[in-house]
Amino acid sequence: MAGHFESDEPGRWVTHDKPKDECGVFGIYGRGLDVARLTYYGLYALQHRGQESAGIAVADGDSVFLQKGMGLVPEVFNGENLDKFKGHIAIGHVRYSTTGSSLPINAQPLVFRYAGGMMGLAHNGNLTNVSELCQQLFSNGAVFQSTTDSEVIVNMIARNYQNSMEEAVMKCMIDLKGAYSLVIITENKLMAVRDPFAIRPLCIGRLGDAWVVTSESCALATIGAELVRDMEPGEIIIIDDNGLNSLQMMRPRRKAHCIFEYIYVARPDSTMDGYNINTVRRAMGRQLAREYRVDADFVIPVPDSGTAAARGYAEESGIPFEEGLMKNRYIGRTFIQPNQSMRDLAVRLKLNPIRDILAGKRVVMVDDSLVRGTTSTKLVAMLRNCGVEEVHLCLSSPPIIRSCYYGIDTSNESELIAARKQVSDIKNIIKADGLHYLSLEGLLDIFGDNRCNFCTACFSGEYPVEIPKKAGKYELES
């Protein structure tokens, strides 16, 4: 499933040349339930969306309690600290940093006191006008504890508060630009907010009489809840003892769901805005096979995110599917200094070819995407070293030529190999016998009449929300 790619920052995770994940959010309102533990299990299911830090906030009607820290969900929480949480409302967050450094102060949820009481917020996405908003708040005397755009949202909600939290959130949304899926907790209610383009996912579920909101439906299934629906673009939901109430704050001009959720980020067992992720990835593989036919002995995936597309390619082409690369599923976090020999070791730690199966064969290797090309180059070399005669690399996404400003860390454009090189040049660089990217048309055809409901900016450069002239992960730290 989703991994992290080579980093130039010492001590950062080093496993895979992929766009980095984003964040996952979870919220539950359920009297009589152990909402802290249910949130813990929900975050466990969302761990693939962020592994840097985790946090849970619980409300009991009078106050909001918080526990958060650096690391994976089971590293931050244990039976003892979960037992201390008493309440009937909870929100949780797993973080991969896309704005602000990976530091304890930037872990979420963020919990603050404001004029109306206590509030906690967890955020998935990136604001595109955070610098302007931050300057406005600074000029009015605001102070910040963290360097995340999420605290800017908290500050704006607090400053817009006059009569109710609902009104404050609605006023805040007028000024926010970019991607934001939010869960908000107060002493006595749970709220969820999805931006007007619905860029990042957010869905609603039911667990008996309890309500649940989360980034992906896999978290609902994990705690035994049922998916009710996805939140609409610009929708606010409020859950309290009166049940669930929906407000449609903004009518979008169009939906712009992140297409990369379907290619790489989301878990295959999740259903997102009407589409099961595994089914979509399999269809991508079938479309790949229709676009690029080649004589080969096996189709092999780059596990795990390339597996569904590889199966689809095998189904359509009639070429046998084989697990030619073995993934070390226990590698976890590997802190490796960023020199070349250690990077080579990192790839071998994660993936290893099965020589007895592959020697003397021609293979179609299916992966989901290519960012810098470093890992693919090493994988092709590894296959050749174990005797593979031909390696054709098929990618279930179009070439990534633009950076994402909405919450996925796709690297600077200068680091994107497809932004600088032609396909034929890339094929020569990675030393493959063939290289084929899924066409954008072929990708969108999978979604039929809904083909216009996606953000494809990383492939096309057509951004649905205006992007900042100058942006970066550390723009609030300069």
Side-chain angles (χ1 to χ4, degrees), residues 111-353:
V111 174
F112 290 84
R113 290 189 179 276
Y114 71 112
M118 294 188 73
M119 163 181 52
L121 177 143
H123 172 206
N124 174 206
N126 266 19
L127 300 182
T128 55
N129 62 336
V130 64
S131 292
E132 295 93 316
L133 295 174
C134 207
Q135 287 305 316
Q136 291 172 18
L137 292 167
F138 273 137
S139 65
N140 289 318
V143 294
F144 295 91
Q145 295 181 1
S146 74
T147 56
T148 70
D149 54 352
S150 310
E151 190 176 354
V152 173
I153 301 174
V154 171
N155 219 306
M156 292 186 64
I157 293 173
R159 284 170 181 264
N160 279 304
Y161 180 84
Q162 290 180 318
N163 300 308
S164 71
M165 177 60 76
E166 294 89 324
E167 182 183 277
V169 171
M170 285 191 286
K171 288 180 178 177
C172 177
M173 289 177 71
I174 295 171
D175 293 321
L176 298 182
K177 291 183 172 55
Y180 53 92
S181 286
L182 309 175
V183 290
I184 301 169
I185 191 172
T186 69
E187 297 94 330
N188 52 23
K189 68 179 66 173
L190 170 67
M191 298 178 66
V193 183
R194 198 174 185 190
D195 70 70
F197 289 86
I199 296 173
R200 304 261 73 89
L202 198 58
C203 62
I204 304 169
R206 203 76 203 263
L207 178 65
D209 293 331
W211 289 100
V212 186
V213 289
T214 181
S215 298
E216 291 188 35
S217 65
C218 64
L220 299 176
T222 297
I223 65 165
E226 294 184 357
L227 174 65
V228 175
R229 65 176 174 87
D230 294 283
M231 283 186 62
E232 293 296 321
E235 184 181 11
I236 302 172
I237 63 164
I238 304 101
I239 304 168
D240 55 20
D241 280 345
N242 297 316
L244 184 148
N245 185 32
S246 170
L247 301 173
Q248 189 60 52
M249 173 55 194
M250 294 173 143
R251 291 288 176 189
R253 284 173 296 176
R254 54 161 294 202
K255 294 178 180 176
H257 308 314
C258 172
I259 196 80
F260 225 83
E261 292 276 356
Y262 299 85
I263 293 169
Y264 173 71
V265 177
R267 242 174 66 162
D269 54 334
S270 286
T271 293
M272 193 171 285
D273 289 302
Y275 294 93
N276 171 258
I277 301 299
N278 186 69
T279 302
V280 168
R281 289 179 186 166
R282 213 142 171 156
M284 292 172 183
R286 288 195 292 271
Q287 180 62 27
L288 263 176
R290 288 191 286 271
E291 293 182 2
Y292 184 71
R293 291 198 173 274
V294 60
D295 287 331
D297 299 301
F298 294 129
V299 177
I300 64 171
V302 178
D304 289 316
S305 51
T307 300
R311 290 190 180 280
Y313 190 102
E315 290 166 358
E316 183 69 22
S317 66
I319 302 172
F321 174 91
E322 191 63 73
E323 293 190 20
L325 291 167
M326 189 52 59
K327 180 180 178 181
N328 184 341
R329 302 181 192 283
Y330 306 99
I331 188 169
R333 292 184 298 170
T334 307
F335 291 89
I336 296 176
Q337 295 300 313
N339 58 58
Q340 193 56 49
S341 62
M342 289 297 103
R343 286 176 172 173
D344 292 343
L345 173 63
V347 175
R348 294 197 300 273
L349 275 173
K350 189 174 180 72
L351 295 167
N352 198 40

Side-chain angles (χ1 to χ4, degrees), residues 12-143:
R12 293 296 300 267
W13 296 22
V14 182
T15 57
H16 215 164
D17 180 13
K18 296 294 178 188
K20 297 173 187 174
D21 305 340
E22 28 179 283
C23 295
V25 299
F26 185 93
I28 183 168
Y29 190 105
R31 288 196 177 274
L33 297 178
D34 186 346
V35 293
R37 271 189 170 71
L38 290 168
T39 302
Y40 170 81
Y41 293 126
L43 294 181
Y44 227 122
L46 298 173
Q47 188 76 84
H48 59 285
R49 300 183 69 87
Q51 301 91 13
E52 293 182 352
S53 62
I56 294 175
V58 176
D60 62 357
D62 295 317
S63 191
V64 178
F65 308 94
L66 174 67
Q67 172 87 34
K68 61 182 179 179
M70 302 301 289
L72 302 173
V73 175
E75 294 172 334
V76 176
F77 296 101
N78 53 45
E80 185 177 350
N81 57 30
L82 287 172
D83 285 341
K84 293 178 181 176
F85 279 128
K86 304 297 180 188
H88 59 284
I89 317 167
I91 63 171
H93 187 268
V94 288
R95 182 173 192 248
Y96 172 75
S97 52
T98 51
T99 300
S101 294
S102 180
L103 296 170
I105 195 68
N106 289 335
Q108 297 188 28
L110 303 172
V111 174
F112 290 84
R113 290 189 179 276
Y114 71 112
M118 294 188 73
M119 163 181 52
L121 177 143
H123 172 206
N124 174 206
N126 266 19
L127 300 182
T128 55
N129 62 336
V130 64
S131 292
E132 295 93 316
L133 295 174
C134 207
Q135 287 305 316
Q136 291 172 18
L137 292 167
F138 273 137
S139 65
N140 289 318
V143 294

Side-chain angles (χ1 to χ4, degrees), residues 127-128 130-131 404-405 412 467-475:
L127 300 182
T128 55
V130 64
S131 292
C404 177
Y405 296 89
N412 296 323
I467 60 174
K469 294 178 181 176
K470 180 182 178 183
K473 179 174 174 177
Y474 307 108
E475 65 179 298

